[in-house]
Amino acid sequence: AQSVTQLGSHVSVSEGALVLLRCNYSSSVPPYLFWYVQYPNQGLQLLLKYTTGATLVKGINGFEAEFKKSETSFHLTKPSAHMSDAAEYFCAVPNQAGTALIFGKGTTLSVSS
Amino acid sequence: DTAVSQTPKYLVTQMGNDKSIKCEQNLGHDTMYWYKQDSKKFLKIMFSYNNKELIINETVPNRFSPKSPDKAHLNLHINSLELGDSAVYFCASSQAPTGQETQYFGPGTRLLVL
């Protein structure tokens, strides 16, 4: 069965510090993987996705993620955090039929000045 | 132009009432979804429609009934509202019901049942 696990429900960093949000997946088929961001009181917005090809995926707002099949991971990183990055981040994988997304429990990113 | 819109944005109602949430997308997508986000921010699929046909109906109480009058609209009607229905409901759409498609989300409808 498809699933994602996000390690760490809350991550706090200082402005300018590296951001690392962890996601591990379980999939019975070659996975597609997604990171979405949810700003307070808003809907979800796609940050980046991995389908096939290059394992290092670049997204919006300076975020990137690397698909590592051997580690079943798709961790999200950003070299230098900005205050505006404070939000909820969700890793997701399609269900087995590919007809809906299965989300992780989310990681709240806090950025302090 | 808003890609996926939902109305209303906020909904406060009493237990036992019936309410509807409307969703519209102007992206020309074939597939639309309803997700529920609980108080712990956990997101779960409720329903999915492709070309107005239901393709996913998760274990949701039958008090919840989706309706898709056309490909651009997917509404959610809830009968006999209960306290546990309080949540944020998100509509989303994608080009097709395949795993690699990006889903575009609406702003959410915050439902509070008193």
Side-chain angles (χ1 to χ4, degrees):
Chain A
Q2 319 296 91
S3 68
V4 288
T5 302
Q6 291 184 241
L7 299 171
S9 59
H10 199 145
V11 170
S12 297
V13 300
S14 299
E15 197 171 19
L18 171 72
V19 175
L20 171 60
L21 305 182
R22 299 176 188 273
C23 173
N24 287 89
Y25 70 89
S26 172
S27 175
S28 55
V29 296
Y32 302 122
L33 292 157
F34 300 79
W35 275 101
Y36 279 85
V37 61
Q38 184 180 22
Y39 297 104
N41 296 316
Q42 294 188 28
L44 280 75
Q45 179 182 3
L46 181 73
L47 269 179
L48 49 81
K49 69 178 181 181
Y50 169 78
T51 53
T52 57
T55 56
L56 182 62
V57 181
K58 293 190 185 299
I60 62 171
N61 301 338
F63 284 93
E64 62 183 36
E66 187 169 11
F67 170 62
K68 291 188 176 180
K69 187 177 178 181
S70 60
E71 298 177 9
T72 61
S73 69
F74 191 56
H75 301 332
L76 182 71
T77 60
K78 181 173 179 177
S80 176
H82 193 272
M83 297 292 282
S84 60
D85 295 326
E88 192 79 19
Y89 291 79
F90 294 95
C91 183
V93 64
N95 62 6
Q96 191 122 10
T99 50
L101 287 174
I102 297 171
F103 287 90
K105 292 188 176 180
T107 299
T108 304
L109 175 65
S110 300
V111 183
S112 57
S113 56
Chain B
D1 267 353
T2 304
V4 182
S5 59
Q6 296 179 228
T7 53
K9 193 166 182 181
Y10 298 96
L11 192 48
V12 181
T13 188
Q14 300 288 328
M15 263 197 319
N17 283 350
D18 303 339
K19 290 293 178 187
S20 291
I21 307 172
K22 295 188 176 184
C23 178
E24 176 180 2
Q25 55 96 0
N26 62 7
L27 297 168
H29 288 166
D30 286 344
T31 312
M32 296 184 74
Y33 311 82
W34 279 111
Y35 287 88
K36 179 180 179 180
Q37 186 176 46
D38 64 21
S39 58
K40 295 184 179 177
K41 300 206 172 178
F42 183 56
L43 276 154
K44 190 166 183 218
I45 184 72
M46 299 174 70
F47 302 102
S48 172
Y49 272 74
N50 187 52
N51 280 324
K52 302 193 297 174
E53 298 295 322
L54 181 67
I55 56 172
I56 290 179
N57 183 353
E58 290 294 306
T59 48
V60 175
N62 58 16
R63 297 182 294 102
F64 290 78
S65 53
K67 279 202 172 78
S68 182
D70 55 58
K71 284 198 313 183
H73 296 84
L74 179 62
N75 303 323
L76 184 65
H77 187 76
I78 316 170
N79 289 324
S80 303
L81 278 155
E82 300 178 358
L83 294 177
D85 298 332
S86 296
V88 183
Y89 293 84
F90 286 102
C91 178
S93 73
S94 66
Q95 186 70 46
T98 61
Q100 63 183 312
E101 294 292 335
T102 298
Q103 292 188 18
Y104 294 83
F105 285 76
T109 295
R110 285 148 185 82
L111 171 64
L112 178 60
V113 182
L114 302 173

